[in-house]
Amino acid sequence: MDVTEVDSELENIINGCLQNNRLSQRQLYDRYASRMFGICRRFANSDEEAEDMLMEGFMQIFKGLETFKGDSSFLTWMHSVMVKSAISHYRSIRRFHNEQFVGTLGDDFEFGEEETITTMVEARLVVDKLQRMPENLRVVFNLRAVENFSFTEISDMLGKKENAVRVAYMRARQWMLKELEVSS
């Protein structure tokens, strides 16, 4: 395994995990769980659901650990696995309600530059607001504004038309801006 960006302690933990060593798996979990929980919390309705997503994500990390080749940082790789796992969890438990996605954008509608919402307010406030956002909007908002996926990628992930995803994102931004105004 080429783990050029991985420190020797982490390399030992990863090698232990590759051998299904429970202690190594616990060490990896302890080292990164709080960071990964933050990702899950943005997609979940509650802390309990985020914990479920976290557990599922770590199972995917342990199962897919051999695919980590060191092309990116280990944390980046884990982040990607956790986001995909959270989306998979979301899709397995819920289905988007088509009526909530109905809508079209006019031909003259354009998205402006992406606002970095976390620079406008405290990150904790944003996460609390995200958990109250309608979940179909929250998932799209997270994938676009936080994870920086393209509308095409989000459309593919969620199995929805790209235009529907754009409408959901527009509504999510409007919802978030309204919520932030109320709390100011």
Side-chain angles (χ1 to χ4, degrees):
M1 171 196 300
D2 177 23
V3 287
T4 54
E5 292 187 39
V6 178
D7 64 52
S8 61
E9 180 185 353
L10 181 56
E11 186 173 357
N12 289 336
I13 292 171
I14 291 171
N15 286 332
C17 289
L18 287 168
Q19 297 169 13
N20 287 327
N21 179 295
R22 297 288 181 225
L23 178 61
S24 295
Q25 290 173 339
R26 182 64 191 193
Q27 289 173 324
L28 186 70
Y29 177 86
D30 290 344
R31 190 171 187 164
Y32 292 106
S34 62
R35 283 182 174 171
M36 298 300 113
F37 182 76
I39 295 167
C40 296
R41 192 161 182 259
R42 289 193 317 259
F43 287 94
N45 283 327
S46 64
D47 285 349
E48 293 78 20
E49 186 177 22
E51 289 172 14
D52 289 345
M53 289 178 176
L54 182 69
M55 290 300 123
E56 290 172 20
F58 267 98
M59 294 303 296
Q60 292 304 313
I61 287 168
F62 295 138
K63 283 172 54 176
L65 196 54
E66 62 192 28
T67 66
F68 174 68
K69 303 297 181 201
D71 298 335
S72 62
S73 76
F74 186 69
L75 187 58
T76 299
W77 178 82
M78 285 184 67
H79 181 103
S80 175
V81 172
M82 196 60 65
V83 167
K84 289 175 185 171
S85 180
I87 293 301
S88 177
H89 175 91
Y90 179 84
R91 289 183 71 187
S92 70
I93 292 181
R94 295 171 186 82
R95 296 291 175 238
F96 282 95
H97 301 288
N98 287 333
E99 65 274 5
Q100 293 176 328
F101 272 102
V102 173
T104 60
L105 298 174
D107 292 336
D108 58 342
F109 183 85
E110 292 182 25
F111 284 96
E113 290 186 22
E114 296 297 327
E115 299 91 330
T116 307
I117 214 103
T118 55
T119 61
M120 294 169 31
V121 294
E122 230 179 284
R124 177 75 181 176
L125 173 65
V126 173
V127 171
D128 290 342
K129 298 279 185 202
L130 278 172
Q131 284 194 314
R132 289 190 306 210
M133 183 184 283
E135 64 189 354
N136 64 310
L137 302 180
R138 180 178 58 235
V139 170
V140 172
F141 185 83
N142 272 315
L143 291 172
R144 179 70 179 156
V146 180
E147 301 298 335
N148 296 314
F149 285 101
S150 71
F151 289 114
T152 303
E153 291 170 320
I154 297 168
S155 173
D156 291 343
M157 279 187 234
L158 300 178
K160 295 294 174 188
K161 292 182 179 179
E162 188 173 330
N163 194 45
V165 171
R166 287 176 182 272
V167 169
Y169 180 67
M170 179 188 68
R171 289 180 181 163
R173 282 181 43 186
Q174 290 170 341
W175 186 96
M176 181 61 81
L177 290 172
K178 180 180 174 189
E179 286 294 310
L180 292 174
E181 286 175 11
V182 169
S183 64
S184 316

